[in-house]
Amino acid sequence: MLSDLRYRLRAFFRLQKVEDELQEELQYHLEREAEKFRKAGTPSEEAMRQARLALGGAEQVQQKCREARGTGLVENLLQDLRYGVRTLRKSSGFSIVVVLTLALGIGACTAIFSVVNSVLLLPLPYADPDRLVIAGMDLQKRNVRGLPFSNADFIDLRDGTKAFIKDLAGVFTGPALVPREDGTSEQIRWAVVTTNFFRVMDARIVLGRDFTDQDGVPQAPTAPTDVQAPQATPMPVIAILSYEYFQRRYAGDANVLGHTMRTTGGPGLVIVGVLAPRFRLYFPSEANVESAPDVWIANRLGYDAAQRKNFSIRPVGRLKNGVALEQAQAAVDQVTAEARKNFPIAQTAGYYFRLEPMRQHLVAEVRPAILALMGSVIFLLLIACANVANLLLVRASLQERELAMRSAMGAGPWRLVCPILSQVFLLVTGGILLGLALAWAGIHELRTLAPANLPRLDSIRIDAFVLGITILVGVAAAGIVVLAPAWRASRPELMNALRSSTRTSGLATGGRVRNLVVVAEVALSFTLLIGSGLMFRSFLQLQRVDPGFDARRLLTFQVLGVPAVRKTAEERVSLIRQIEERLRAIPGVHSTTASFPFPLTGDFAPIRWGTGEALSDPSKFQATDNQIVLPGYFETMRTPLLAGRTFTDDDNLPGRNRVIIDELLAKKAFGRQSAVGKRILVRIRTPEPEWVEVVGVVAHQRATSLAEPGREQVYFTDGFLGSGRVRTWAIRTGSDAASYENQVRAAIKEINPSLVVTEMQPMEAIVHDAQANTRFSLLLIAVFAIIAGLLAGVGLYGVLSSAVRQRTSEIGLRMALGAQRTSIFAGVVGQGLRLSALGIAAGLIAAFILTRAMITMLVGVKPADPATFISISVVFLAISALASYLPARRAAGLDPMTALREE
Amino acid sequence: MTGKRIELPQGTLDLLILKAVALEPLHGWAISERLQQISRDVVQVQQGSLYPALHRLERRGWIKSKWAISENNRRAKYYELTFLGRKQLQSETAAWRKLTNAVDHILDMA
């Protein structure tokens, strides 16, 4: 067997040498044979002739030897390929169209699959990542999902799930200003983690040591830990640096271990270790977790039941081996059941902890969109294949007589199909190569277009796996493309084809298959167009949404460091006043304000509120988001005031318990009654709810998402919360907002150099970002749908024009017998419309079922939106009318005499 | 002369070739000559079918070839029996004997 293989390989790869040797061998034989005859007395030339005669035809002998070598199959293949190249070159227009069509389909598939691969398939870069789970807190009755945990909740969860979760770690992150050695400040991103965090994630410490349990021993309970910056504690705060920050700030100097890094208003951080490079936190964007913190701080986690409402920690756990998620969830449910029993507030909130595999948690937000895109490109590929199959069918029909002739001369079915296979092989190879190039370029574009919430964007590329899938897709495409033509070619209807005299007669036989293919094509592209139509409507809705503020000419930025610069409330008030005045002094600035959180920037802060009846029945408490603002906020944002008044400077003084609520909260609290002058209970700065007075009602602002109305809002003044809590500033300007950036930076620096301005962007950019998801999906689906629509139109055109060509003589005859040109025209158009109507009918059903999967991507549009379905149907009929028009015109324009003579 | 010659039964050519090269390596023409000699001009070996057979046997690994200088001082392709070929020769010879014996037996009985 081995010698056989070796022999064949040699014969295949060194074909020329083997052939030469055979030649030489036979030549030697002839000479010896001739010599023999000469010795017997035959004249020289006659001897050679005799020798040749004895051997037989040299060509036949060589051919037989080749067959004996067993390389005939390969040689046939090469011959077919050469033939294929020749044929394709002869019809370069056809080849280019086919390769381009396939490349579009395969390229789109590859590009989107590379996204699927890196976002949905590649394991997270942690050890055994499938066992990592995230816990999120839902307040089911308050429409709040995925909240972080309070310390007490975290500890309850950890202790209650010990049997199933090997170790539960927690993390939360944020930005902070730290002083540098040269007196300036820099903004860093910090993460506060439980001391077991790196062990749970299996992160490597490259220098120094990991946290020990000692680093996490809680301090005596004091004031609530401020989420904004780690507070002064008598115990040292232990920190580990990220490798990148270690390099950036300390230039990789190992002496930094044991060194205390100064912080603003704290004891500083004692550096004990350096983390391995490129360690990242993978959380969905809505969790607001920094992906690459600079400094990791050991959490001195204490159990403080009073602080149960201070949510900060994101728990990450590692399931024990052999434990199913459901088992762990059951244990978690016991913890929450206990809490609901002990705390009535938990009961009324619909308090619930949800475990989720870490990757599922990461991609839940983007998964539907990615899958919808994947579905779109698969449709696109199928349509491309259908088109190519139809083109091949038409070609095969034209070659029918040639095939029949070959068949009559004894070629087996295999030898008939081979030339087609080799052509398809060449076309698909071309399609794959060009498709890969398209995908490569497309991925580059995707990266710039992709919304920020697409996780692991940087890892999107064509790797070996994607390449393998691309080749598989190509092979599958080849299979689809070749199926119908090969089947038809392998069994030519011999007598029919030979008997008929025109070269186009073969078109008649493949007609039904081609019609079927075109109907399928129309159905697929129609479904895609419906999808893009729905996305387009969603995008329009999103554009039309009134966010409750006017984003034009509004510049936003954060000013960090106010609490650090000014210790007392009075100092902070005057500093804020100074900033306001300085900003307002910039020519062209109409007004200024500040807030925390700020709409559409990712933060939200739910608090508890209730009306008087909640005093006797705590179950009447509900949740609302809150925003802390400076007076002038609604004027600057141009949020319509619906009743009462907006905040004045007097409201900003301490002890003025006045709030403004939005229309949603007003309706919930007081129904149709006027809310102005009434009181509500809120829990924000005190352990128990306190009374505040509603002085105004404003229009609802879309604060968490543009796509959904979101929760109710209550607005407090900065003074109510002790001043200095506002962080994001906004200035209303008279012209292009972005042109004020430098003046703003200069103004803030002038007030105090240690204040840091960051995240500066026009409000319109924030709104733009909030539309990014919808825009991204719309753009991609629309591009795919338009290509699909074009392909389907071309496919329909191809079928109709070959039908017209096939029926030329029939049409000529009918015209000669007095048929009107208009009726000929109508006949062809009618055929086109019938085909597309069938396709549309099938597409309607498919779309009706499939668009339901898009529900989370749609904004203000139902998946079965009648307007979209009807308008896309009309658009599609128009496309098919156009595709039918040209062949119909050709048919109607035929000269009867010429047409008849075609026979 | 031709009247006496009989056609070689199907499949026996391989056996004869193996036998021919069993003694010493031979080139194609010499094999053809040897076959003519040992069959005492009774068996007609089509020279044209000799070479495909050689290539087939080589592919099966029963003979191997090498280029060497021939008795008339020219480069010629020599074939020799391989280990596998020797085995094959033995088993085919045995099979042939069995077959001819059986045929003889039947003919005698008739």
Side-chain angles (χ1 to χ4, degrees), chain B residues 4-5 15 21-22 26 29 34 39-41 43 52 56 70 81 96 99-101 105:
Chain B
K4 285 197 292 175
R5 291 193 176 184
L15 177 60
V21 297
L26 290 176
W29 184 74
R34 171 76 55 87
S39 61
R40 288 184 291 282
D41 288 342
V43 175
R56 190 167 55 239
S70 71
L81 210 57
W96 179 257
L99 176 68
T100 48
N101 281 340
H105 192 64

mmCIF file of all heavy atoms in Angstrom, chain B residues 4-5 15 21-22 26 29 34 39-41 43 52 56 70 81 96 99-101 105:
data_model
loop_
_atom_site.group_PDB
_atom_site.id
_atom_site.type_symbol
_atom_site.label_atom_id
_atom_site.label_comp_id
_atom_site.label_asym_id
_atom_site.label_seq_id
_atom_site.Cartn_x
_atom_site.Cartn_y
_atom_site.Cartn_z
ATOM 1 N N LYS B 4 1.735 -21.956 -34.391
ATOM 2 C CA LYS B 4 1.939 -22.751 -33.187
ATOM 3 C C LYS B 4 1.688 -21.945 -31.911
ATOM 4 O O LYS B 4 1.467 -22.501 -30.847
ATOM 5 C CB LYS B 4 3.376 -23.280 -33.165
ATOM 6 C CG LYS B 4 3.614 -24.422 -34.130
ATOM 7 C CD LYS B 4 4.893 -25.140 -33.745
ATOM 8 C CE LYS B 4 6.080 -24.240 -33.999
ATOM 9 N NZ LYS B 4 7.340 -24.838 -33.536
ATOM 10 N N ARG B 5 1.795 -20.630 -32.051
ATOM 11 C CA ARG B 5 1.747 -19.805 -30.832
ATOM 12 C C ARG B 5 0.355 -19.724 -30.238
ATOM 13 O O ARG B 5 -0.626 -19.663 -30.984
ATOM 14 C CB ARG B 5 2.227 -18.394 -31.134
ATOM 15 C CG ARG B 5 3.706 -18.372 -31.438
ATOM 16 C CD ARG B 5 4.179 -16.969 -31.411
ATOM 17 N NE ARG B 5 5.611 -16.943 -31.608
ATOM 18 C CZ ARG B 5 6.308 -15.837 -31.546
ATOM 19 N NH1 ARG B 5 5.701 -14.685 -31.332
ATOM 20 N NH2 ARG B 5 7.604 -15.864 -31.720
ATOM 21 N N LEU B 15 2.629 -13.304 -13.749
ATOM 22 C CA LEU B 15 3.336 -14.421 -13.146
ATOM 23 C C LEU B 15 4.643 -14.689 -13.892
ATOM 24 O O LEU B 15 5.709 -14.865 -13.289
ATOM 25 C CB LEU B 15 2.432 -15.663 -13.175
ATOM 26 C CG LEU B 15 3.028 -16.959 -12.644
ATOM 27 C CD1 LEU B 15 3.441 -16.801 -11.196
ATOM 28 C CD2 LEU B 15 2.039 -18.093 -12.803
ATOM 29 N N VAL B 21 12.142 -12.171 -13.706
ATOM 30 C CA VAL B 21 13.077 -11.309 -12.979
ATOM 31 C C VAL B 21 13.494 -11.933 -11.647
ATOM 32 O O VAL B 21 14.235 -11.322 -10.886
ATOM 33 C CB VAL B 21 12.498 -9.897 -12.728
ATOM 34 C CG1 VAL B 21 12.252 -9.191 -14.039
ATOM 35 C CG2 VAL B 21 11.238 -9.967 -11.875
ATOM 36 N N ALA B 22 13.011 -13.164 -11.357
ATOM 37 C CA ALA B 22 13.323 -13.786 -10.072
ATOM 38 C C ALA B 22 14.806 -14.136 -9.976
ATOM 39 O O ALA B 22 15.406 -14.073 -8.901
ATOM 40 C CB ALA B 22 12.468 -15.023 -9.869
ATOM 41 N N LEU B 26 16.503 -7.584 -14.692
ATOM 42 C CA LEU B 26 16.498 -7.532 -16.158
ATOM 43 C C LEU B 26 15.858 -6.237 -16.609
ATOM 44 O O LEU B 26 15.005 -5.691 -15.922
ATOM 45 C CB LEU B 26 15.679 -8.697 -16.715
ATOM 46 C CG LEU B 26 16.236 -10.112 -16.585
ATOM 47 C CD1 LEU B 26 15.211 -11.102 -17.111
ATOM 48 C CD2 LEU B 26 17.558 -10.238 -17.313
ATOM 49 N N TRP B 29 13.443 -5.149 -22.420
ATOM 50 C CA TRP B 29 13.663 -5.925 -23.641
ATOM 51 C C TRP B 29 14.147 -7.326 -23.287
ATOM 52 O O TRP B 29 13.710 -8.317 -23.847
ATOM 53 C CB TRP B 29 14.675 -5.206 -24.533
ATOM 54 C CG TRP B 29 14.870 -5.904 -25.837
ATOM 55 C CD1 TRP B 29 14.021 -5.930 -26.888
ATOM 56 C CD2 TRP B 29 15.991 -6.724 -26.188
ATOM 57 N NE1 TRP B 29 14.506 -6.697 -27.894
ATOM 58 C CE2 TRP B 29 15.745 -7.204 -27.497
ATOM 59 C CE3 TRP B 29 17.182 -7.099 -25.530
ATOM 60 C CZ2 TRP B 29 16.641 -8.039 -28.150
ATOM 61 C CZ3 TRP B 29 18.065 -7.916 -26.202
ATOM 62 C CH2 TRP B 29 17.798 -8.391 -27.506
ATOM 63 N N ARG B 34 13.595 -13.097 -22.686
ATOM 64 C CA ARG B 34 13.628 -14.238 -21.787
ATOM 65 C C ARG B 34 12.319 -15.027 -21.858
ATOM 66 O O ARG B 34 12.309 -16.252 -21.935
ATOM 67 C CB ARG B 34 13.877 -13.747 -20.352
ATOM 68 C CG ARG B 34 13.738 -14.777 -19.253
ATOM 69 C CD ARG B 34 14.916 -15.726 -19.183
ATOM 70 N NE ARG B 34 16.204 -15.074 -19.039
ATOM 71 C CZ ARG B 34 16.740 -14.726 -17.858
ATOM 72 N NH1 ARG B 34 16.093 -14.944 -16.749
ATOM 73 N NH2 ARG B 34 17.931 -14.159 -17.813
ATOM 74 N N SER B 39 9.654 -19.838 -23.035
ATOM 75 C CA SER B 39 8.411 -20.451 -23.520
ATOM 76 C C SER B 39 8.652 -21.137 -24.866
ATOM 77 O O SER B 39 7.719 -21.604 -25.490
ATOM 78 C CB SER B 39 7.320 -19.395 -23.635
ATOM 79 O OG SER B 39 7.729 -18.424 -24.562
ATOM 80 N N ARG B 40 9.919 -21.159 -25.268
ATOM 81 C CA ARG B 40 10.333 -21.814 -26.507
ATOM 82 C C ARG B 40 9.449 -21.416 -27.683
ATOM 83 O O ARG B 40 8.940 -22.221 -28.443
ATOM 84 C CB ARG B 40 10.374 -23.331 -26.335
ATOM 85 C CG ARG B 40 11.548 -23.761 -25.462
ATOM 86 C CD ARG B 40 11.662 -25.268 -25.370
ATOM 87 N NE ARG B 40 10.584 -25.888 -24.625
ATOM 88 C CZ ARG B 40 10.522 -25.897 -23.282
ATOM 89 N NH1 ARG B 40 11.432 -25.302 -22.551
ATOM 90 N NH2 ARG B 40 9.562 -26.523 -22.676
ATOM 91 N N ASP B 41 9.197 -20.130 -27.727
ATOM 92 C CA ASP B 41 8.453 -19.541 -28.830
ATOM 93 C C ASP B 41 7.020 -20.047 -28.967
ATOM 94 O O ASP B 41 6.393 -19.886 -29.992
ATOM 95 C CB ASP B 41 9.193 -19.755 -30.155
ATOM 96 C CG ASP B 41 10.425 -18.893 -30.243
ATOM 97 O OD1 ASP B 41 10.495 -17.916 -29.458
ATOM 98 O OD2 ASP B 41 11.301 -19.201 -31.046
ATOM 99 N N VAL B 43 4.637 -19.300 -26.493
ATOM 100 C CA VAL B 43 3.760 -18.265 -25.944
ATOM 101 C C VAL B 43 4.039 -16.935 -26.637
ATOM 102 O O VAL B 43 5.185 -16.531 -26.783
ATOM 103 C CB VAL B 43 3.985 -18.116 -24.430
ATOM 104 C CG1 VAL B 43 3.162 -16.967 -23.896
ATOM 105 C CG2 VAL B 43 3.618 -19.413 -23.736
ATOM 106 N N PRO B 52 3.088 -1.851 -19.749
ATOM 107 C CA PRO B 52 2.052 -1.530 -18.755
ATOM 108 C C PRO B 52 2.058 -2.518 -17.593
ATOM 109 O O PRO B 52 1.898 -2.124 -16.431
ATOM 110 C CB PRO B 52 0.754 -1.648 -19.554
ATOM 111 C CG PRO B 52 1.155 -1.354 -20.952
ATOM 112 C CD PRO B 52 2.551 -1.896 -21.112
ATOM 113 N N ARG B 56 2.509 -1.740 -13.680
ATOM 114 C CA ARG B 56 1.490 -2.153 -12.729
ATOM 115 C C ARG B 56 2.125 -2.924 -11.566
ATOM 116 O O ARG B 56 1.833 -2.700 -10.401
ATOM 117 C CB ARG B 56 0.457 -3.019 -13.453
ATOM 118 C CG ARG B 56 -0.790 -3.345 -12.658
ATOM 119 C CD ARG B 56 -1.870 -3.923 -13.543
ATOM 120 N NE ARG B 56 -1.402 -5.094 -14.285
ATOM 121 C CZ ARG B 56 -1.395 -5.180 -15.617
ATOM 122 N NH1 ARG B 56 -1.834 -4.172 -16.351
ATOM 123 N NH2 ARG B 56 -0.956 -6.271 -16.225
ATOM 124 N N SER B 70 23.681 -1.171 -19.285
ATOM 125 C CA SER B 70 23.341 -2.494 -19.813
ATOM 126 C C SER B 70 24.561 -3.153 -20.462
ATOM 127 O O SER B 70 25.630 -2.543 -20.559
ATOM 128 C CB SER B 70 22.222 -2.375 -20.834
ATOM 129 O OG SER B 70 22.737 -1.754 -21.991
ATOM 130 N N LEU B 81 13.038 -8.360 -8.466
ATOM 131 C CA LEU B 81 11.955 -8.799 -7.593
ATOM 132 C C LEU B 81 12.150 -8.209 -6.197
ATOM 133 O O LEU B 81 13.265 -8.151 -5.687
ATOM 134 C CB LEU B 81 12.000 -10.334 -7.519
ATOM 135 C CG LEU B 81 10.671 -11.053 -7.298
ATOM 136 C CD1 LEU B 81 9.674 -10.676 -8.377
ATOM 137 C CD2 LEU B 81 10.917 -12.559 -7.307
ATOM 138 N N TRP B 96 -1.263 -21.467 -9.453
ATOM 139 C CA TRP B 96 -1.268 -21.891 -10.849
ATOM 140 C C TRP B 96 -1.176 -23.421 -10.944
ATOM 141 O O TRP B 96 -1.898 -24.056 -11.695
ATOM 142 C CB TRP B 96 -0.100 -21.237 -11.590
ATOM 143 C CG TRP B 96 -0.013 -21.637 -13.021
ATOM 144 C CD1 TRP B 96 0.846 -22.513 -13.568
ATOM 145 C CD2 TRP B 96 -0.873 -21.223 -14.071
ATOM 146 N NE1 TRP B 96 0.611 -22.673 -14.901
ATOM 147 C CE2 TRP B 96 -0.469 -21.872 -15.239
ATOM 148 C CE3 TRP B 96 -1.996 -20.356 -14.125
ATOM 149 C CZ2 TRP B 96 -1.088 -21.694 -16.464
ATOM 150 C CZ3 TRP B 96 -2.593 -20.178 -15.349
ATOM 151 C CH2 TRP B 96 -2.156 -20.839 -16.507
ATOM 152 N N LEU B 99 -4.365 -25.001 -10.064
ATOM 153 C CA LEU B 99 -5.373 -24.832 -11.109
ATOM 154 C C LEU B 99 -5.124 -25.794 -12.269
ATOM 155 O O LEU B 99 -6.029 -26.514 -12.706
ATOM 156 C CB LEU B 99 -5.336 -23.378 -11.610
ATOM 157 C CG LEU B 99 -6.274 -23.080 -12.786
ATOM 158 C CD1 LEU B 99 -7.725 -23.173 -12.338
ATOM 159 C CD2 LEU B 99 -5.987 -21.706 -13.381
ATOM 160 N N THR B 100 -3.842 -25.821 -12.718
ATOM 161 C CA THR B 100 -3.560 -26.674 -13.874
ATOM 162 C C THR B 100 -3.780 -28.148 -13.524
ATOM 163 O O THR B 100 -4.305 -28.919 -14.322
ATOM 164 C CB THR B 100 -2.132 -26.461 -14.391
ATOM 165 O OG1 THR B 100 -1.247 -26.501 -13.274
ATOM 166 C CG2 THR B 100 -2.018 -25.140 -15.096
ATOM 167 N N ASN B 101 -3.357 -28.516 -12.300
ATOM 168 C CA ASN B 101 -3.614 -29.897 -11.870
ATOM 169 C C ASN B 101 -5.090 -30.223 -11.941
ATOM 170 O O ASN B 101 -5.491 -31.276 -12.444
ATOM 171 C CB ASN B 101 -3.123 -30.125 -10.436
ATOM 172 C CG ASN B 101 -1.619 -30.343 -10.420
ATOM 173 O OD1 ASN B 101 -1.051 -30.683 -11.460
ATOM 174 N ND2 ASN B 101 -1.001 -30.149 -9.274
ATOM 175 N N HIS B 105 -6.820 -32.887 -14.264
ATOM 176 C CA HIS B 105 -7.624 -33.936 -13.660
ATOM 177 C C HIS B 105 -8.965 -34.057 -14.350
ATOM 178 O O HIS B 105 -9.393 -35.147 -14.729
ATOM 179 C CB HIS B 105 -7.786 -33.609 -12.175
ATOM 180 C CG HIS B 105 -8.340 -34.739 -11.381
ATOM 181 N ND1 HIS B 105 -7.666 -35.942 -11.231
ATOM 182 C CD2 HIS B 105 -9.498 -34.872 -10.698
ATOM 183 C CE1 HIS B 105 -8.391 -36.745 -10.491
ATOM 184 N NE2 HIS B 105 -9.510 -36.122 -10.151
#
